[in-house]
Amino acid sequence: MGFILQKAILLTYVLTGAAYAASVPTSLDARATSACTLTASGSDDAPAFLSAAADSSCPTVTIPSGTTLSIQSKLNMTGISNKYIDLQGTIKFNDDLDYWTDNAFTFSFQDQAAFWILGGTNIVLDGGGTLDGSGQAWYDAFAKDDDTVRPILLTLYQATDVIVQNIKMINGPEWINFVNEGKNIVFRNITISAVSTSSHAAKNTDGWDIFRSDNVTIADSDINNGDDCVSFKPNATNILVSNLSCNGSHGISVGSLGQYSGEYDLVQNVLATNIRMSNAENGARIKAWAGKNVGSGLVKNITFDGFVESNVDSPVVIDQCYETSDSDCAKYPSNTYIEDIWFTNISGTSSGKEKAVVASLSCSPDGRCSNVNVNGITVTPPSKYGDASFECANVELTGDDTSLFGTCTTSD
Ligand SMILES: *[C@@H]1O[C@H](CO)[C@@H](O)[C@H](O)[C@H]1NC(C)=O
Ligand SMILES: *[C@@H]1O[C@H](CO)[C@@H](O)[C@H](O)[C@H]1NC(C)=O
Ligand SMILES: *[C@@H]1O[C@H](CO)[C@@H](O)[C@H](O)[C@H]1NC(C)=O
Ligand SMILES: *[C@@H]1O[C@H](CO)[C@@H](O)[C@H](O)[C@H]1NC(C)=O
Ligand SMILES: *[C@@H]1O[C@H](CO)[C@@H](O)[C@H](O)[C@H]1NC(C)=O
Ligand SMILES: *[C@@H]1O[C@H](CO)[C@@H](O)[C@H](O)[C@H]1NC(C)=O
Ligand SMILES: *[C@@H]1O[C@H](CO)[C@@H](O)[C@H](O)[C@H]1NC(C)=O
Ligand SMILES: *[C@@H]1O[C@H](CO)[C@@H](O)[C@H](O)[C@H]1NC(C)=O
């Protein structure tokens, strides 16, 4: 029996006496049992889902196979604990753009919005089922008006000790997973598909964005999307990304960092290993802002290891003058320093979009990158471009492949 329920009974007992209180548990228990397994009501299922999640007499909340919950109002599911959400069926967010535009949760960080915020401690989301964001209406609306604020499909907000596994995530309007102020979080066996069926692309459909979070694992997953496969945003620390197949994405990206004046962004202790990256803009990438009025930060101890790339425009990238012209970058080098980076065992093919270039490690002037290691980069461009070429600027490289890069250009 839950704490709140006990308290309610105690209070009832005090107020009305034992005879009345004795009848309360039976009727509440009967209600609670059925409330833990959700059915489609034909209208908005958000209230029933919220009350089951908040009900401590439902340690497991089940959405049975064959059931589609229609979510027509926002889900504030924060501060819950010891909850197993057994999603065998589908949770589908409706595409009432007007409602969500006015009512979605908002985050000032990169002007994000969310359908559902899930937080608290000791939470599992599992079961083989599906989250469906009805993204097509959003992809089409965004193509007409790029001020359209599209909700994130799943946001873990202030969540600790969470496992999300064996879930399909389809038709996300924008980012698919946002981990915001979380700790000890594992995603495993997630299948993401954000693909438009119209001529309007499924833009900004990042697989995962990790922000102000520590100790996050993302493993054994398939991602088919239209922006970063995984992105490490400010203050992502101790992150393991392993065994992902990313298709159509913008790569595994640190950043962009140092965007906002007055803010300090840290990304530290990241390992991305055993990654298959296909038909992508980037493979392994670090990007940090330079220029006037930007922020500061540190990117430290990042390893990209065992990438097998196929048809990737820019397989290996550091861009420490992100969104900044060469002249501005020379005048205002990045305040986001980059240290202790390993690009190891990166094979496969580039697309030829950058002709023969398969790696570009371009730092700001003035010694803002140090201890960048390159070993076993064997990516080849399409044969018509000849041998692979390797570019670098304002960085001293170490490792077996240093000679491939030759002497890095310097600017000041
Ligand atoms: C979510 O609900 C909790 C109380 O249950 C409240 O404190 C919090 O402000 C709500 N969060 C948002 C973003 O509405
Ligand atoms: C992975 O998740 C899918 C559901 O998306 C499930 O059918 C499959 O059994 C899971 N695989 C493992 C190894 O658990
Ligand atoms: C990191 O998270 C994992 C999975 O939740 C947990 O087993 C491990 O103890 C955590 N590590 C630390 C240092 O807290
Ligand atoms: C890698 O992930 C895939 C799912 O994308 C899974 O089928 C496979 O078993 C995983 N491999 C290992 C070694 O865990
Ligand atoms: C992979 O991405 C490419 C480019 O976006 C797309 O054409 C292709 O259909 C995708 N492959 C799969 C298996 O979804
Ligand atoms: C990141 O963490 C540092 C402390 O390590 C803090 O000073 C900074 O404000 C945080 N930045 C963000 C964007 O949360
Ligand atoms: C570097 O990061 C890895 C995780 O990728 C971690 O295991 C290792 O301890 C870190 N090294 C240092 C010196 O902190
Ligand atoms: C390189 O990475 C591939 C893919 O992850 C892996 O199969 C292979 O064993 C790695 N080779 C070395 C020498 O680490």
PDB file of all heavy atoms in Angstrom, residues 143-165:
ATOM      1  N   ALA A 143       8.070  22.776 -43.202  1.00  0.00           N
ATOM      2  CA  ALA A 143       8.534  23.176 -44.539  1.00  0.00           C
ATOM      3  C   ALA A 143       7.874  24.491 -44.965  1.00  0.00           C
ATOM      4  O   ALA A 143       8.472  25.294 -45.676  1.00  0.00           O
ATOM      5  CB  ALA A 143       8.218  22.070 -45.545  1.00  0.00           C
ATOM      6  N   LYS A 144       6.660  24.713 -44.488  1.00  0.00           N
ATOM      7  CA  LYS A 144       5.959  25.958 -44.836  1.00  0.00           C
ATOM      8  C   LYS A 144       6.367  27.103 -43.915  1.00  0.00           C
ATOM      9  O   LYS A 144       6.378  28.248 -44.315  1.00  0.00           O
ATOM     10  CB  LYS A 144       4.440  25.754 -44.734  1.00  0.00           C
ATOM     11  CG  LYS A 144       3.908  24.828 -45.804  1.00  0.00           C
ATOM     12  CD  LYS A 144       2.386  24.929 -45.923  1.00  0.00           C
ATOM     13  CE  LYS A 144       1.831  23.789 -46.756  1.00  0.00           C
ATOM     14  NZ  LYS A 144       1.679  22.528 -45.959  1.00  0.00           N
ATOM     15  N   ASP A 145       6.655  26.771 -42.638  1.00  0.00           N
ATOM     16  CA  ASP A 145       6.971  27.812 -41.659  1.00  0.00           C
ATOM     17  C   ASP A 145       8.033  27.272 -40.705  1.00  0.00           C
ATOM     18  O   ASP A 145       7.722  26.472 -39.815  1.00  0.00           O
ATOM     19  CB  ASP A 145       5.693  28.182 -40.881  1.00  0.00           C
ATOM     20  CG  ASP A 145       5.991  29.182 -39.767  1.00  0.00           C
ATOM     21  OD1 ASP A 145       7.146  29.654 -39.659  1.00  0.00           O
ATOM     22  OD2 ASP A 145       5.064  29.476 -38.992  1.00  0.00           O
ATOM     23  N   ASP A 146       9.261  27.737 -40.886  1.00  0.00           N
ATOM     24  CA  ASP A 146      10.325  27.140 -40.071  1.00  0.00           C
ATOM     25  C   ASP A 146      10.372  27.716 -38.655  1.00  0.00           C
ATOM     26  O   ASP A 146      11.286  27.405 -37.888  1.00  0.00           O
ATOM     27  CB  ASP A 146      11.681  27.163 -40.783  1.00  0.00           C
ATOM     28  CG  ASP A 146      12.223  28.568 -40.975  1.00  0.00           C
ATOM     29  OD1 ASP A 146      11.625  29.526 -40.450  1.00  0.00           O
ATOM     30  OD2 ASP A 146      13.256  28.703 -41.663  1.00  0.00           O
ATOM     31  N   ASP A 147       9.381  28.510 -38.258  1.00  0.00           N
ATOM     32  CA  ASP A 147       9.217  28.870 -36.847  1.00  0.00           C
ATOM     33  C   ASP A 147       8.373  27.837 -36.095  1.00  0.00           C
ATOM     34  O   ASP A 147       8.159  27.964 -34.885  1.00  0.00           O
ATOM     35  CB  ASP A 147       8.528  30.235 -36.703  1.00  0.00           C
ATOM     36  CG  ASP A 147       9.478  31.378 -37.054  1.00  0.00           C
ATOM     37  OD1 ASP A 147      10.704  31.188 -36.903  1.00  0.00           O
ATOM     38  OD2 ASP A 147       8.988  32.440 -37.495  1.00  0.00           O
ATOM     39  N   THR A 148       7.846  26.860 -36.807  1.00  0.00           N
ATOM     40  CA  THR A 148       7.025  25.839 -36.155  1.00  0.00           C
ATOM     41  C   THR A 148       7.864  25.108 -35.108  1.00  0.00           C
ATOM     42  O   THR A 148       8.917  24.556 -35.424  1.00  0.00           O
ATOM     43  CB  THR A 148       6.522  24.819 -37.204  1.00  0.00           C
ATOM     44  OG1 THR A 148       5.892  25.539 -38.260  1.00  0.00           O
ATOM     45  CG2 THR A 148       5.551  23.828 -36.593  1.00  0.00           C
ATOM     46  N   VAL A 149       7.416  25.137 -33.842  1.00  0.00           N
ATOM     47  CA  VAL A 149       8.161  24.468 -32.771  1.00  0.00           C
ATOM     48  C   VAL A 149       7.610  23.046 -32.634  1.00  0.00           C
ATOM     49  O   VAL A 149       6.459  22.857 -32.245  1.00  0.00           O
ATOM     50  CB  VAL A 149       8.040  25.237 -31.442  1.00  0.00           C
ATOM     51  CG1 VAL A 149       8.762  24.493 -30.327  1.00  0.00           C
ATOM     52  CG2 VAL A 149       8.620  26.636 -31.598  1.00  0.00           C
ATOM     53  N   ARG A 150       8.436  22.090 -32.995  1.00  0.00           N
ATOM     54  CA  ARG A 150       7.978  20.697 -33.074  1.00  0.00           C
ATOM     55  C   ARG A 150       8.378  19.930 -31.813  1.00  0.00           C
ATOM     56  O   ARG A 150       9.539  19.984 -31.399  1.00  0.00           O
ATOM     57  CB  ARG A 150       8.618  20.048 -34.326  1.00  0.00           C
ATOM     58  CG  ARG A 150       8.217  20.728 -35.634  1.00  0.00           C
ATOM     59  CD  ARG A 150       9.343  20.642 -36.664  1.00  0.00           C
ATOM     60  NE  ARG A 150      10.524  21.383 -36.208  1.00  0.00           N
ATOM     61  CZ  ARG A 150      11.748  21.208 -36.683  1.00  0.00           C
ATOM     62  NH1 ARG A 150      11.956  20.313 -37.616  1.00  0.00           N
ATOM     63  NH2 ARG A 150      12.757  21.921 -36.211  1.00  0.00           N
ATOM     64  N   PRO A 151       7.457  19.204 -31.207  1.00  0.00           N
ATOM     65  CA  PRO A 151       7.781  18.550 -29.929  1.00  0.00           C
ATOM     66  C   PRO A 151       8.746  17.366 -30.058  1.00  0.00           C
ATOM     67  O   PRO A 151       8.705  16.616 -31.032  1.00  0.00           O
ATOM     68  CB  PRO A 151       6.424  18.073 -29.427  1.00  0.00           C
ATOM     69  CG  PRO A 151       5.411  18.847 -30.201  1.00  0.00           C
ATOM     70  CD  PRO A 151       6.023  19.099 -31.541  1.00  0.00           C
ATOM     71  N   ILE A 152       9.575  17.215 -29.032  1.00  0.00           N
ATOM     72  CA  ILE A 152      10.443  16.037 -28.889  1.00  0.00           C
ATOM     73  C   ILE A 152       9.556  14.851 -28.509  1.00  0.00           C
ATOM     74  O   ILE A 152       8.605  14.993 -27.733  1.00  0.00           O
ATOM     75  CB  ILE A 152      11.472  16.300 -27.774  1.00  0.00           C
ATOM     76  CG1 ILE A 152      12.363  17.487 -28.149  1.00  0.00           C
ATOM     77  CG2 ILE A 152      12.295  15.059 -27.482  1.00  0.00           C
ATOM     78  CD1 ILE A 152      13.140  18.052 -26.966  1.00  0.00           C
ATOM     79  N   LEU A 153       9.898  13.677 -29.025  1.00  0.00           N
ATOM     80  CA  LEU A 153       9.068  12.494 -28.768  1.00  0.00           C
ATOM     81  C   LEU A 153       9.185  12.035 -27.299  1.00  0.00           C
ATOM     82  O   LEU A 153       8.180  11.915 -26.603  1.00  0.00           O
ATOM     83  CB  LEU A 153       9.483  11.375 -29.739  1.00  0.00           C
ATOM     84  CG  LEU A 153       8.625  10.120 -29.745  1.00  0.00           C
ATOM     85  CD1 LEU A 153       7.180  10.417 -30.096  1.00  0.00           C
ATOM     86  CD2 LEU A 153       9.209   9.097 -30.733  1.00  0.00           C
ATOM     87  N   LEU A 154      10.395  11.752 -26.833  1.00  0.00           N
ATOM     88  CA  LEU A 154      10.573  11.292 -25.441  1.00  0.00           C
ATOM     89  C   LEU A 154      11.633  12.136 -24.752  1.00  0.00           C
ATOM     90  O   LEU A 154      12.769  12.201 -25.214  1.00  0.00           O
ATOM     91  CB  LEU A 154      11.014   9.813 -25.414  1.00  0.00           C
ATOM     92  CG  LEU A 154      11.305   9.249 -24.016  1.00  0.00           C
ATOM     93  CD1 LEU A 154      10.069   9.257 -23.127  1.00  0.00           C
ATOM     94  CD2 LEU A 154      11.866   7.826 -24.106  1.00  0.00           C
ATOM     95  N   THR A 155      11.255  12.753 -23.643  1.00  0.00           N
ATOM     96  CA  THR A 155      12.202  13.551 -22.860  1.00  0.00           C
ATOM     97  C   THR A 155      12.343  12.938 -21.470  1.00  0.00           C
ATOM     98  O   THR A 155      11.349  12.824 -20.746  1.00  0.00           O
ATOM     99  CB  THR A 155      11.708  15.010 -22.734  1.00  0.00           C
ATOM    100  OG1 THR A 155      11.589  15.565 -24.040  1.00  0.00           O
ATOM    101  CG2 THR A 155      12.670  15.852 -21.906  1.00  0.00           C
ATOM    102  N   LEU A 156      13.557  12.520 -21.131  1.00  0.00           N
ATOM    103  CA  LEU A 156      13.825  12.129 -19.748  1.00  0.00           C
ATOM    104  C   LEU A 156      14.290  13.389 -19.045  1.00  0.00           C
ATOM    105  O   LEU A 156      15.301  13.982 -19.424  1.00  0.00           O
ATOM    106  CB  LEU A 156      14.900  11.044 -19.681  1.00  0.00           C
ATOM    107  CG  LEU A 156      14.587   9.741 -20.409  1.00  0.00           C
ATOM    108  CD1 LEU A 156      15.708   8.724 -20.167  1.00  0.00           C
ATOM    109  CD2 LEU A 156      13.251   9.153 -19.968  1.00  0.00           C
ATOM    110  N   TYR A 157      13.519  13.829 -18.068  1.00  0.00           N
ATOM    111  CA  TYR A 157      13.801  15.096 -17.415  1.00  0.00           C
ATOM    112  C   TYR A 157      13.975  14.852 -15.928  1.00  0.00           C
ATOM    113  O   TYR A 157      13.078  14.341 -15.257  1.00  0.00           O
ATOM    114  CB  TYR A 157      12.644  16.078 -17.678  1.00  0.00           C
ATOM    115  CG  TYR A 157      12.866  17.445 -17.080  1.00  0.00           C
ATOM    116  CD1 TYR A 157      13.999  18.178 -17.395  1.00  0.00           C
ATOM    117  CD2 TYR A 157      11.935  17.995 -16.197  1.00  0.00           C
ATOM    118  CE1 TYR A 157      14.211  19.432 -16.845  1.00  0.00           C
ATOM    119  CE2 TYR A 157      12.141  19.252 -15.650  1.00  0.00           C
ATOM    120  CZ  TYR A 157      13.286  19.959 -15.973  1.00  0.00           C
ATOM    121  OH  TYR A 157      13.501  21.197 -15.432  1.00  0.00           O
ATOM    122  N   GLN A 158      15.158  15.193 -15.423  1.00  0.00           N
ATOM    123  CA  GLN A 158      15.484  14.964 -14.016  1.00  0.00           C
ATOM    124  C   GLN A 158      15.171  13.520 -13.638  1.00  0.00           C
ATOM    125  O   GLN A 158      14.410  13.242 -12.708  1.00  0.00           O
ATOM    126  CB  GLN A 158      14.736  15.988 -13.150  1.00  0.00           C
ATOM    127  CG  GLN A 158      15.172  17.409 -13.522  1.00  0.00           C
ATOM    128  CD  GLN A 158      14.508  18.509 -12.744  1.00  0.00           C
ATOM    129  OE1 GLN A 158      13.403  18.321 -12.217  1.00  0.00           O
ATOM    130  NE2 GLN A 158      15.142  19.666 -12.682  1.00  0.00           N
ATOM    131  N   ALA A 159      15.781  12.627 -14.394  1.00  0.00           N
ATOM    132  CA  ALA A 159      15.544  11.195 -14.212  1.00  0.00           C
ATOM    133  C   ALA A 159      16.845  10.510 -13.783  1.00  0.00           C
ATOM    134  O   ALA A 159      17.913  10.819 -14.303  1.00  0.00           O
ATOM    135  CB  ALA A 159      15.049  10.587 -15.515  1.00  0.00           C
ATOM    136  N   THR A 160      16.732   9.603 -12.826  1.00  0.00           N
ATOM    137  CA  THR A 160      17.888   8.852 -12.335  1.00  0.00           C
ATOM    138  C   THR A 160      17.550   7.364 -12.324  1.00  0.00           C
ATOM    139  O   THR A 160      16.433   7.003 -11.940  1.00  0.00           O
ATOM    140  CB  THR A 160      18.229   9.306 -10.888  1.00  0.00           C
ATOM    141  OG1 THR A 160      18.495  10.698 -10.912  1.00  0.00           O
ATOM    142  CG2 THR A 160      19.456   8.590 -10.358  1.00  0.00           C
ATOM    143  N   ASP A 161      18.505   6.554 -12.740  1.00  0.00           N
ATOM    144  CA  ASP A 161      18.319   5.097 -12.773  1.00  0.00           C
ATOM    145  C   ASP A 161      17.132   4.717 -13.656  1.00  0.00           C
ATOM    146  O   ASP A 161      16.068   4.285 -13.181  1.00  0.00           O
ATOM    147  CB  ASP A 161      18.141   4.528 -11.350  1.00  0.00           C
ATOM    148  CG  ASP A 161      19.349   4.800 -10.479  1.00  0.00           C
ATOM    149  OD1 ASP A 161      20.471   4.815 -11.016  1.00  0.00           O
ATOM    150  OD2 ASP A 161      19.186   5.031  -9.264  1.00  0.00           O
ATOM    151  N   VAL A 162      17.345   4.909 -14.936  1.00  0.00           N
ATOM    152  CA  VAL A 162      16.283   4.652 -15.917  1.00  0.00           C
ATOM    153  C   VAL A 162      16.801   3.701 -16.991  1.00  0.00           C
ATOM    154  O   VAL A 162      17.950   3.815 -17.432  1.00  0.00           O
ATOM    155  CB  VAL A 162      15.836   5.981 -16.584  1.00  0.00           C
ATOM    156  CG1 VAL A 162      14.799   5.718 -17.676  1.00  0.00           C
ATOM    157  CG2 VAL A 162      15.280   6.946 -15.548  1.00  0.00           C
ATOM    158  N   ILE A 163      15.958   2.768 -17.384  1.00  0.00           N
ATOM    159  CA  ILE A 163      16.262   1.901 -18.534  1.00  0.00           C
ATOM    160  C   ILE A 163      15.133   2.067 -19.552  1.00  0.00           C
ATOM    161  O   ILE A 163      13.953   1.955 -19.197  1.00  0.00           O
ATOM    162  CB  ILE A 163      16.361   0.416 -18.103  1.00  0.00           C
ATOM    163  CG1 ILE A 163      17.490   0.237 -17.083  1.00  0.00           C
ATOM    164  CG2 ILE A 163      16.574  -0.478 -19.320  1.00  0.00           C
ATOM    165  CD1 ILE A 163      17.551  -1.158 -16.482  1.00  0.00           C
ATOM    166  N   VAL A 164      15.512   2.344 -20.774  1.00  0.00           N
ATOM    167  CA  VAL A 164      14.542   2.375 -21.882  1.00  0.00           C
ATOM    168  C   VAL A 164      15.021   1.310 -22.861  1.00  0.00           C
ATOM    169  O   VAL A 164      16.139   1.418 -23.386  1.00  0.00           O
ATOM    170  CB  VAL A 164      14.507   3.755 -22.563  1.00  0.00           C
ATOM    171  CG1 VAL A 164      13.499   3.761 -23.711  1.00  0.00           C
ATOM    172  CG2 VAL A 164      14.177   4.867 -21.564  1.00  0.00           C
ATOM    173  N   GLN A 165      14.232   0.272 -23.064  1.00  0.00           N
ATOM    174  CA  GLN A 165      14.722  -0.795 -23.944  1.00  0.00           C
ATOM    175  C   GLN A 165      13.599  -1.478 -24.707  1.00  0.00           C
ATOM    176  O   GLN A 165      12.452  -1.489 -24.285  1.00  0.00           O
ATOM    177  CB  GLN A 165      15.522  -1.830 -23.139  1.00  0.00           C
ATOM    178  CG  GLN A 165      14.720  -2.538 -22.071  1.00  0.00           C
ATOM    179  CD  GLN A 165      15.572  -3.469 -21.230  1.00  0.00           C
ATOM    180  OE1 GLN A 165      16.795  -3.525 -21.387  1.00  0.00           O
ATOM    181  NE2 GLN A 165      14.944  -4.215 -20.340  1.00  0.00           N
TER     182      GLN A 165
END
